């Protein structure tokens, strides 16, 4: 009986296990799905793994997969260069993956080749297509502002078509510090011809080791631009439209009529109510109103940007064709600041043979513009800020003031607006309309290339770059009366200028990749480059035309007594270079790279004795996370750690050219008489400049140390760099030579500069279900100092060329122990409480009313102590949001116009009722305007963009043959936080000694932008 019960128990147990097993097997399901990217392109070879086990599959050529799992199991999807995704297993899965902008397998463009980001040993910042396409900008240079640590954008004007300049790791020259631009392998002067919508990626080569492969032209860093190309196995048509409304972003309060009256009584002796009564009697003022000169000068202006792209491909080749048109109307009334740009780009490649491929990159660029003067003293914006509020902007012919009628009766020409009303004398709109300044140009540029791969690992590239550039300028001054010191009654001249250049760049180089014994990876590159530029400049002018009529406003119609002018010259510049690079990688753990470039310039740039320059570099990296001890014992979330260091030498030819070293001759136009009786004068020729056979390149040496870190499945990335850059042999003019020489010295190599700083970049990319978000931030410090200047050069100090009207010297100086082009002026000691007069500190620290030149000191600097940027993005379902801001800290600006024109500063002035004031009583004393009371903290943070977009679901758009349809709205430059009291804290008159000086710069505008993107 006992045995029978045991048998029964066993039977029931087996049955229970069988039923349980069948139950478990019943929960197994077959999961089918597809893995796609953001553009719904299938991802081939994506990994699909059941979480917690090693079982998994990879997607096929169509991005599809099939596997057996239990319903509800968690699947992990991964793909090289994309963020990992986790999803619960369900039938008919559609899994969308998003690119990881910090992926270690991402390919980065370097000089004459590409490298994986994980293999880099230098300091390179990379901006990819996704970050570019979210920006609503018209200039390619703006892509880098606030996005790359150590990169700063310098702007002298924000009017349409203005060209900003990039600075990389400080300022390396007392002249131009502009970097080298290379677009698809071809050297460009700037990026004005490239539409931002056509850019695939931008790389900034910041350290000398990365940039030294470009040798003599890389002393200020290198910006590499890669334009878009056709996508493999995909053809499309896309259209992008942007319409924006632009307005003045900041409006500091100006003086009211009550304020102006107080100002006049304090500034002008004897000014009284009688003067106001005279204004009313003459018809200038109605006795109550205050003119808003912002409203009189500025308006809401539109801008329209249209772009259409065609891409296609097959098994043999790809193509990309883009047509783009931009129209920008500035915020100054009267359509006086307008820019139009038309560009056409074609990129294509074709695999002719298995071992040979050809490619072409071609870009046509046509533009025209009208501009106003906003960088000189007395600019139209400076005048608007200082205009009296008593005057109306215009007066009708029926109500013209008596003094204006008297001017008309005396034969003066008063400018009228489109309604026939007369502009009041002093109105800045007079300057806008009396000066007709136009410019236009066209450029055809690009490259033809052939790629030979006769055997595995070997690539020979031959590339011919070209550029045909043409520029035309037209200027016409009309008869007008502006005010007592500004009028033209005699000369309504016209001037035309034309410049053209043809540039060729032929390069041949080899890349060879070899792996030995699985773990030793070698890469070698060697090549040569030859370039030639042919320049032509011609011009013609007449100081008076036959009639002030649109039909005759050209140089073909001079008046009978007109003075005619003509000029012209042509030049040729050539250079040749040989270069090479070798790299070694052991187990992706130890990295080493070295490069060398030899450059030679022709005699138009350097004398024969110094035409060759040698530029070496070396860099190394240690990937700690690939060490066995790390792989074995790592219990952290850190995926990747790399230490790297580099050293290199670069040169700069930005400030060389046109035989600047030569012993040139000059003409004494006043003439010379060889007789004491016959006073017949002949033109004299004399040696104008001494010869300098020792002139050579400006040379920079830079060391860089940094590390790269990735963590949490590469969702977090962090990069840090420390650098020190020393530039020597600066080109300097103004060498003091004996007076009896009778001429001047040629430029000499006589100065040195040091730039030093830290750079930090951090990125976080993640998702929570369908909600994706990212945070990116960067910060860079900068310490800049002049370390050497030959004592014989301008007595040890070079003064800047930008000066206050009536001042004998400029605002800025180049001097040992100070930052480059620092602000040099007087420091106010105190304000006399009895008189309101300013007392200045002497060199000895004593107060004085009458300071001397030796009492001047450093008042500030235009370069910031650090720059920074932050970008926030978020996306959910079809909605996306991007917020981007950038700023500077520690830089100053010198206000080149009266601070008392601004209400906030006017309220801080001394007066009998305010004896303890911060500012002196209103005055126009030059010493006071050259003091620290006109130098302000120009640090700022600007919210550059707030953009919200929505993408229509594809299941809906597909019904209308539309692959992608997105609408968006953007608020650009709406919020600026700064202590600077002027219109815009980001000011400069020029890119060198005029940095940080405000002469009424055309301010950054805020814009409300509406856009759509559609792809078929």
């Amino acid at each position: 009986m006992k045995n029978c019960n045991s048998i029964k128990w066993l039977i029931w147990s087996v049955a229970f296990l069988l039923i349980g097993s069948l139950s478990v097997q019943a929960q197994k399901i077959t999961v089918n799905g597809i893995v796609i990217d953001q553009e719904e392109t299938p991802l081939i070879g994506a990994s699909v793994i059941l979480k917690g086990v090693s079982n998994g599959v990879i997607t096929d050529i169509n991005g599809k997969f099939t596997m057996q799992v239990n319903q509800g199991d968690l699947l992990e999807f991964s793909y090289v260069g994309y963020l990992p995704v986790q999803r619960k297993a369900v039938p008919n899965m559609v899994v969308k993956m998003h690119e990881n902008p910090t992926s270690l397998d991402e390919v980065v463009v370097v000089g004459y080749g590409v490298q994986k980001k994980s293999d880099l040993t230098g300091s390179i910042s990379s901006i990819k297509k996704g970050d570019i396409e979210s920006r609503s900008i018209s200039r390619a240079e703006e892509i880098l502002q606030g996005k790359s640590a150590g990169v700063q954008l310098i702007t002298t004007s924000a009017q349409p078509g203005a060209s900003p300049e990039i600075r990389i790791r400080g300022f390396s020259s007392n002249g131009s510090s502009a970097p080298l631009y290379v677009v698809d392998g071809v050297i460009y002067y700037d990026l004005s011809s490239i539409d931002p919508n056509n850019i695939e990626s931008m790389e900034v080569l910041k350290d000398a080791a990365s940039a030294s492969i470009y040798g003599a032209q890389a002393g200020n860093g290198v910006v590499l631009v890669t334009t878009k190309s056709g996508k493999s196995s995909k053809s499309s048509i896309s259209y992008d439209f942007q319409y924006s409304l632009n307005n003045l972003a900041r409006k500091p309060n100006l003086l009211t009529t009550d304020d102006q009256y107080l100002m006049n009584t304090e500034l002008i002796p004897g000014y009284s109510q009688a003067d106001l009564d005279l204004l009313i009697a003459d018809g200038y003022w109605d006795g109550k109103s205050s003119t808003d000169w912002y409203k009189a000068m500025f308006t809401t202006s539109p801008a329209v940007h249209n772009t259409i792209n065609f891409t296609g491909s097959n098994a043999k080749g790809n193509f990309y064709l883009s047509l783009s048109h931009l129209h920008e109307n500035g915020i100054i009334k009267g359509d006086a600041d307008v820019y139009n740009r038309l560009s056409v780009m074609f990129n294509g490649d074709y695999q002719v043979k298995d071992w040979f491929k050809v490619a072409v990159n071609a870009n046509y660029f046509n533009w025209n513009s009208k501009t106003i003067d906003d960088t000189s003293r007395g600019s139209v914006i400076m005048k608007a800020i200082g205009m009296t509020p008593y005057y109306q902007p215009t007066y009708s012919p029926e109500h013209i003031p008596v003094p204006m009628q008297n001017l008309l009766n005396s034969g003066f020409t008063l400018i009228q607006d489109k309604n026939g009303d007369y502009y009041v004398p002093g109105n800045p709109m007079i300057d806008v309309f009396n000066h007709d300044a136009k410019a236009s140009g066209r450029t055809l540029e690009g490259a033809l290339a052939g790629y030979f791969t006769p055997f595995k690992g070997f690539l020979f590239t031959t590339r011919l770059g070209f550029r045909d550039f043409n520029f035309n300028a037209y200027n016409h001054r009309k008869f007008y009366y502006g005010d007592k010191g500004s009028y033209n009654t005699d000369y309504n001249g016209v001037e035309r200028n034309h410049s053209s250049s043809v540039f060729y760049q032929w390069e041949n180089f080899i890349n060879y990749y070899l792996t030995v014994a699985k773990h030793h990876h070698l890469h070698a590159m060697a090549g040569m480059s030859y370039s030639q530029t042919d320049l032509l400049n011609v011009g013609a002018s007449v100081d008076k035309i036959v009639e002030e009529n649109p039909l005759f406003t050209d140089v073909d119609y001079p008046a009978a007594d007109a003075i005619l002018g003509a000029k012209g010259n042509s030049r040729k510049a050539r250079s040749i270079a040989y270069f090479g690079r070798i790299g070694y990688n052991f187990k992706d753990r130890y990295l080493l790279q070295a490069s060398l470039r030899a450059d030679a310039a022709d005699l138009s740039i350097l004398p024969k004795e110094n035409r060759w320059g040698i530029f070496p570099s070396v860099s190394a990296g240690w990937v700690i996370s690939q060490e066995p001890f790390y792989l074995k014992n790592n219990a952290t979330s850190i995926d990747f750690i790399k230490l790297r260091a580099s050293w290199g030498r670069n040169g700069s030819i930005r400030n060389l050219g046109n035989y600047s070293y030569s012993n040139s001759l000059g003409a004494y136009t006043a003439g010379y008489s060889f007789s004491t009786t016959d006073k017949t004068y002949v033109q004299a020729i004399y040696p104008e400049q001494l010869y300098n056979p020792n002139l050579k390149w400006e040379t920079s040496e830079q060391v860089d140390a940094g590390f790269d870190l990735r963590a949490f499945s590469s969702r977090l990335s962090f990069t840090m760099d420390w650098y020190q850059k020393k530039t020597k042999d600066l080109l300097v003019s103004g060498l003091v030579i004996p007076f009896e020489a009778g001429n001047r010295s040629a430029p000499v190599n006589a100065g040195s500069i040091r730039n030093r700083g830290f750079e930090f970049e951090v990125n976080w990319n993640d998702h929570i279900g369908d909600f994706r978000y990212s945070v990116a931030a960067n910060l860079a410090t900068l310490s800049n100092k002049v370390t050497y200047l030959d004592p014989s050069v301008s007595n040890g100090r070079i003064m800047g060329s930008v000066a206050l009207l009536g001042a004998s010297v400029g605002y800025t100086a180049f001097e040992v122990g100070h930052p480059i082009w620092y602000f040099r002026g007087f420091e106010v000691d105190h304000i006399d409480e009895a008189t309101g007069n300013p007392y200045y500190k002497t060199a000895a620290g004593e107060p004085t009313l009458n300071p001397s030149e030796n009492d001047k000191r450093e008042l500030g600097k235009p370069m910031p102590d650090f720059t920074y940027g932050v970008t926030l993005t978020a996306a959910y379902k079809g909605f996306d949001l991007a917020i981007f801001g950038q700023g500077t800290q520690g830089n100053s600006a010198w206000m080149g116009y009266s601070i008392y024109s601004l209400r906030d500063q006017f309220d801080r002035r001394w007066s009998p009722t305010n004896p303890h004031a911060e500012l002196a009583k209103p005055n126009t004393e030059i010493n006071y305007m050259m003091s620290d009371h006109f130098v302000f903290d120009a640090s700022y943070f600007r919210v550059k963009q707030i953009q919200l977009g929505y993408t229509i679901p594809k299941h809906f758009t597909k019904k209308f043959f539309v692959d992608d349809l997105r609408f968006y709205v953007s608020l650009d430059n709406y919020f600026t936080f700064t202590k600077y009291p002027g219109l815009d804290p980001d000011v400069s008159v020029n890119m060198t000694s005029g940095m940080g000086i405000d002469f009424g710069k055309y301010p950054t505008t805020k814009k409300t932008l509406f856009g759509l993107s559609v792809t078929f």
Side-chain angles (χ1 to χ4, degrees):
M1 187 68 182
K2 208 172 191 182
N3 290 337
C4 185
N5 289 336
S6 297
I7 293 171
K8 288 180 179 180
W9 180 87
L10 180 62
I11 293 171
W12 282 108
S13 297
V14 171
F16 179 78
L17 290 173
L18 288 172
I19 293 170
S21 176
L22 290 172
S23 175
V24 171
Q25 288 185 10
Q27 295 178 30
K28 285 279 187 181
I29 61 171
T30 299
V31 174
N32 297 306
I34 183 172
V35 181
I36 57 177
D37 64 10
Q38 302 102 305
E39 298 179 353
E40 298 194 356
T41 300
L43 295 178
I44 305 170
S47 176
V48 187
I49 297 176
L50 181 63
K51 186 174 182 180
V53 299
S54 58
N55 296 334
V57 298
I58 61 172
T59 57
D60 62 17
I61 194 171
N62 297 311
K64 296 182 178 180
F65 68 93
T66 301
M67 63 187 304
Q68 292 282 330
V69 296
N70 293 328
Q71 188 166 352
D73 279 350
L74 199 61
L75 300 182
E76 293 182 329
F77 299 83
S78 61
Y79 191 71
V80 173
Y82 286 73
L83 292 169
V85 175
Q86 292 185 358
R87 291 284 188 274
K88 284 187 176 181
V90 295
N92 303 318
M93 299 182 70
V94 177
V95 180
K96 181 178 290 188
M97 302 189 71
H98 299 272
E99 290 183 358
N100 184 355
T102 61
S103 170
L104 296 172
D105 295 293
E106 175 189 324
V107 173
V108 175
V109 178
V110 297
Y112 303 102
V114 295
Q115 287 184 356
K116 288 197 306 181
K117 182 179 285 188
S118 58
D119 292 342
L120 294 177
T121 52
S123 181
I124 300 178
S125 287
S126 182
I127 312 296
K128 294 301 183 183
K129 181 179 68 173
D131 215 7
I132 297 171
E133 290 180 339
S134 65
R135 299 292 307 280
S136 47
I137 53 178
S138 59
R139 291 284 307 203
E141 294 91 341
E142 296 179 75
I143 293 171
L144 297 176
Q145 187 176 29
K147 295 289 187 176
S148 177
V151 178
Q152 185 182 358
L153 209 63
I154 306 296
T155 59
T156 59
S157 175
Q159 65 179 303
S163 298
E165 234 180 56
I166 293 170
R167 292 289 179 270
I168 300 173
R169 289 187 168 178
F171 300 79
S172 303
S173 177
N174 55 312
S176 173
S177 293
L180 174 69
Y181 300 101
V182 181
V183 180
D184 295 327
V186 180
I187 292 174
Y188 276 46
Y189 302 128
D190 60 26
L191 300 180
S192 59
S193 62
I194 304 298
D195 190 303
N197 288 335
N198 291 330
I199 295 177
E200 181 75 19
S201 68
M202 294 181 75
E203 274 76 27
V204 183
L205 312 185
K206 297 189 289 188
D207 70 321
S210 301
S212 66
I213 200 65
Y214 290 104
Q217 302 181 73
N220 300 315
V222 181
V223 177
L224 303 180
V225 178
T226 302
T227 58
K228 293 179 179 179
S229 59
K231 296 180 180 179
S232 179
S233 304
K234 188 170 184 178
S235 299
S236 67
I237 303 172
S238 63
Y239 170 68
D240 293 282
F241 169 79
Q242 293 180 348
Y243 178 83
S244 64
L245 295 173
N246 304 283
N247 288 280
L248 186 64
R250 300 181 74 237
K251 297 180 181 180
N253 293 325
L254 302 181
L255 302 186
T256 65
T257 51
D258 291 338
D259 299 325
Q260 188 69 54
Y261 177 74
L262 290 175
M263 168 94 87
N264 292 348
T265 57
E266 296 169 12
L267 186 63
I268 305 172
Y271 195 89
S272 66
Q273 180 64 39
D275 294 280
L276 293 186
D277 294 337
L278 182 59
L279 287 173
I280 296 173
D282 283 341
Y284 278 122
W285 187 40
D286 61 7
K288 54 184 178 180
S289 61
S290 290
T291 296
D292 181 350
W293 283 101
Y294 291 133
K295 186 176 181 180
M297 274 287 295
F298 300 103
T299 186
T300 299
S301 64
V304 182
H305 193 181
N306 290 279
T307 305
I308 185 168
N309 302 320
F310 305 88
T311 62
S313 67
N314 57 28
K316 288 287 188 177
N318 306 279
F319 78 87
Y320 172 83
L321 174 64
S322 172
L323 293 87
S324 174
H325 180 262
L326 171 69
H327 170 79
E328 285 186 295
N329 199 339
I331 58 174
I332 301 293
K333 286 185 175 181
D335 297 332
D337 48 339
V338 181
Y339 179 71
N340 290 284
R341 181 183 71 201
L342 171 68
S343 59
V344 181
M345 176 174 284
F346 177 81
N347 294 337
D349 62 80
Y350 191 78
Q351 193 76 41
V352 181
K353 297 289 185 181
D354 292 339
W355 47 269
F356 178 59
K357 182 171 74 171
V358 293
V360 59
N361 302 92
N363 183 55
Y364 175 74
F365 167 56
N366 191 307
W367 63 276
N368 62 77
S369 68
K370 292 182 66 178
T371 58
I372 65 165
D373 174 24
D374 67 334
T375 58
S376 64
R377 290 184 299 267
S379 70
V380 296
I381 295 175
M382 181 190 290
K383 286 184 177 180
I385 293 173
M387 275 297 292
T388 175
Y390 295 124
Y391 293 162
Q392 296 179 25
T394 59
Y395 295 91
S396 67
E398 295 80 17
H399 299 92
I400 189 169
V402 174
M404 292 176 63
Q405 185 61 58
N406 292 338
L407 289 169
L408 289 173
N409 297 338
S410 299
F412 286 97
T413 300
L414 300 184
I415 303 296
Q416 295 174 279
D417 66 9
K418 61 182 180 181
N419 298 319
D421 296 334
Y422 290 98
Y423 287 109
V424 67
N427 189 329
M429 294 302 295
I430 294 175
D431 290 349
V432 171
F433 285 105
N434 85 76
H435 185 200
D436 188 9
K438 302 175 184 177
S440 63
R442 65 180 185 276
T443 303
L444 178 63
E445 57 201 350
L448 302 172
Y451 303 93
F452 298 85
T453 52
F455 53 89
K456 183 180 179 181
F458 182 92
L459 173 63
F460 171 70
T461 302
T462 181
R463 180 168 57 214
L464 177 64
F466 60 89
R467 178 180 304 104
D468 185 0
F469 166 83
N470 288 272
F471 169 80
N472 297 284
Y474 170 90
N475 283 279
H476 169 50
R477 286 282 183 182
K478 305 173 184 177
F479 292 134
Y480 75 100
Y481 181 90
D483 52 42
K484 291 181 179 179
S486 175
Y487 59 88
N488 175 26
T489 59
D490 300 315
Y491 302 101
N492 57 342
V494 175
E495 181 179 8
R496 282 193 179 274
N497 291 286
H498 170 79
S499 298
S500 64
S501 67
V502 177
F503 169 78
Y504 298 102
Q505 175 188 321
W506 186 37
E507 296 181 317
N508 299 277
F509 53 96
I510 294 170
N511 280 279
Y512 183 56
Y513 300 86
L514 178 66
T515 298
V516 179
K518 295 185 179 179
H519 303 305
H520 302 272
H521 306 285
L522 299 170
H523 168 229
M525 185 275 293
M528 61 79 62
S529 176
Y530 171 83
S531 66
Q532 176 176 315
T533 303
D534 297 296
L535 300 167
L536 173 66
N537 298 290
V538 294
S541 63
V542 296
D543 69 336
K544 187 186 299 185
I545 56 176
V546 65
E547 183 180 340
E548 187 60 58
N549 184 311
L551 296 176
F552 299 101
T553 54
D554 219 323
V555 292
D556 266 354
Y557 304 100
D561 58 343
I563 298 176
L564 311 183
K567 59 183 178 181
N569 63 75
S570 62
R571 300 195 304 272
K572 186 188 297 288
R574 292 170 292 182
S575 65
I576 192 169
Y578 301 94
F579 50 84
R581 178 174 58 221
I582 187 167
Y584 173 70
N585 177 336
F586 177 67
K587 288 189 174 181
D588 292 330
R589 186 185 308 162
Y590 306 118
L591 312 170
L592 182 66
Q593 185 168 282
S595 68
L596 181 70
R597 177 161 174 143
D599 275 284
D602 72 359
L603 293 179
S604 70
I605 298 174
L606 284 171
K608 186 176 180 180
E609 296 85 350
N610 292 319
R611 63 166 52 180
W612 281 97
I614 306 298
F615 305 99
S617 75
V618 62
S619 58
W622 177 29
V623 184
I624 299 175
S625 52
Q626 287 296 321
E627 289 285 1
F629 69 82
Y630 187 91
L631 295 171
K632 182 178 180 180
N633 301 312
N634 181 26
T636 70
S637 298
I638 298 176
D639 311 313
F640 178 86
I641 305 176
K642 177 173 66 178
L643 302 180
R644 49 183 169 76
S646 68
W647 170 90
R649 182 183 300 146
N650 305 128
S652 176
I653 60 173
R654 279 280 182 176
N655 304 303
L656 288 167
N658 199 24
Y659 300 91
S660 57
Y661 63 89
S662 68
N663 50 346
S664 58
L665 299 177
Y668 185 61
T669 56
Y672 184 83
S673 174
F674 287 91
S675 172
T676 57
T677 57
D678 182 8
K679 300 296 184 180
T680 302
Y681 290 90
V682 297
Q683 189 177 66
I685 304 297
Y686 67 99
E688 187 177 39
Q689 177 177 286
L690 297 176
Y691 176 62
N692 179 12
N694 300 315
L695 194 68
K696 54 186 177 181
W697 326 85
E698 293 181 339
T699 304
S700 296
E701 287 193 8
Q702 185 176 175
V703 293
D704 183 283
F707 74 89
D708 304 315
L709 180 147
R710 304 290 185 272
F712 305 106
S713 300
S714 290
R715 286 175 291 179
L716 173 69
S717 67
F718 178 77
T719 297
M720 188 278 288
D721 280 272
W722 173 86
Y723 70 91
Q724 179 167 277
K725 182 179 181 181
K726 296 181 179 179
T727 305
K728 61 181 181 179
D729 299 327
L730 297 184
L731 295 173
V732 176
S733 300
L735 185 70
V736 179
I737 61 175
F739 182 76
E740 56 268 23
N743 53 15
R744 68 172 186 265
S745 168
V748 295
N749 300 103
S752 299
I753 297 174
R754 186 219 68 207
N755 290 277
R756 178 192 297 159
F758 288 91
E759 296 171 349
F760 306 91
E761 293 187 0
V762 61
N763 293 271
W764 174 266
N765 294 271
D766 202 1
H767 68 92
I768 303 173
D770 290 330
F771 177 72
R772 293 179 290 110
Y773 67 97
S774 70
V775 180
N778 65 80
L779 182 146
T781 69
L782 173 63
S783 172
N784 172 279
K785 183 180 290 188
V786 178
T787 56
Y788 173 74
L789 182 63
D790 193 297
S792 61
V793 176
S794 303
N795 298 315
R797 180 188 302 125
I798 303 174
M799 296 305 300
S801 60
V802 181
L804 179 70
L805 184 63
S808 58
V809 294
Y811 291 94
T812 59
F814 183 91
E815 185 177 5
V816 173
H818 298 273
I820 185 174
W821 299 123
Y822 73 96
F823 296 139
R824 177 177 168 80
F826 301 112
E827 181 180 349
V828 175
D829 184 83
H830 68 277
I831 303 299
D832 189 311
E833 293 185 4
T835 64
N837 293 323
Y839 277 76
Y840 308 94
K841 283 186 179 179
T842 65
E846 300 295 327
T848 180
L849 269 173
N850 301 298
S852 67
E853 184 67 23
N854 292 331
D855 294 324
K856 288 183 176 179
R857 61 188 65 198
E858 181 180 332
L859 303 180
K861 55 185 175 57
M863 292 84 66
D865 293 326
F866 62 87
T867 57
Y868 58 98
V870 60
T871 304
L872 309 174
T873 67
Y876 180 73
K877 302 293 184 178
F879 291 96
D880 61 87
L881 174 69
I883 302 174
F884 165 55
Q886 60 85 213
T888 67
Q889 186 66 41
N891 53 302
S892 303
W894 198 319
M895 189 171 286
Y897 50 89
S898 175
I899 57 176
Y900 299 108
S901 300
L902 305 175
R903 176 67 184 273
D904 292 345
Q905 303 304 307
F906 179 73
D907 289 343
R908 297 171 58 210
R909 80 199 185 286
W910 178 94
S911 68
T913 58
N914 186 24
H916 307 295
E918 302 173 71
L919 302 179
K921 66 181 180 181
N923 71 82
T924 57
E925 181 194 26
I926 289 178
N927 284 344
Y928 189 54
M929 298 184 73
M930 293 293 293
S931 77
D932 59 337
H933 281 194
F934 281 72
V935 179
F936 296 89
D937 180 3
S939 306
Y940 72 90
F941 175 72
R942 177 171 286 147
V943 181
K944 299 285 292 182
Q945 182 181 55
I946 302 175
Q947 185 180 108
L948 177 65
Y950 179 69
T951 302
I952 307 297
K954 286 183 171 50
H955 66 80
F956 179 78
T957 59
K958 288 285 188 181
K959 299 176 182 179
F960 305 96
F961 309 103
V962 175
D963 295 328
D964 190 81
L965 178 60
R966 176 176 179 263
F967 297 91
Y968 57 95
V969 61
S970 183
L971 303 179
D972 295 356
N973 303 317
Y974 254 73
F975 307 101
T976 301
F977 304 93
T978 182
K979 294 179 181 179
Y980 185 67
L983 291 179
D984 191 349
D986 186 10
V987 293
S988 287
V989 171
N990 58 45
M991 305 292 184
T992 53
S993 63
M995 291 185 298
I997 297 175
D998 187 0
F999 278 167
K1001 171 211 166 188
Y1002 196 111
T1004 300
T1005 59
K1006 66 178 181 181
K1007 60 182 177 182
T1008 305
L1009 183 142
F1010 306 92
L1012 72 88
S1013 299
V1014 57
T1015 302
F1016 301 92

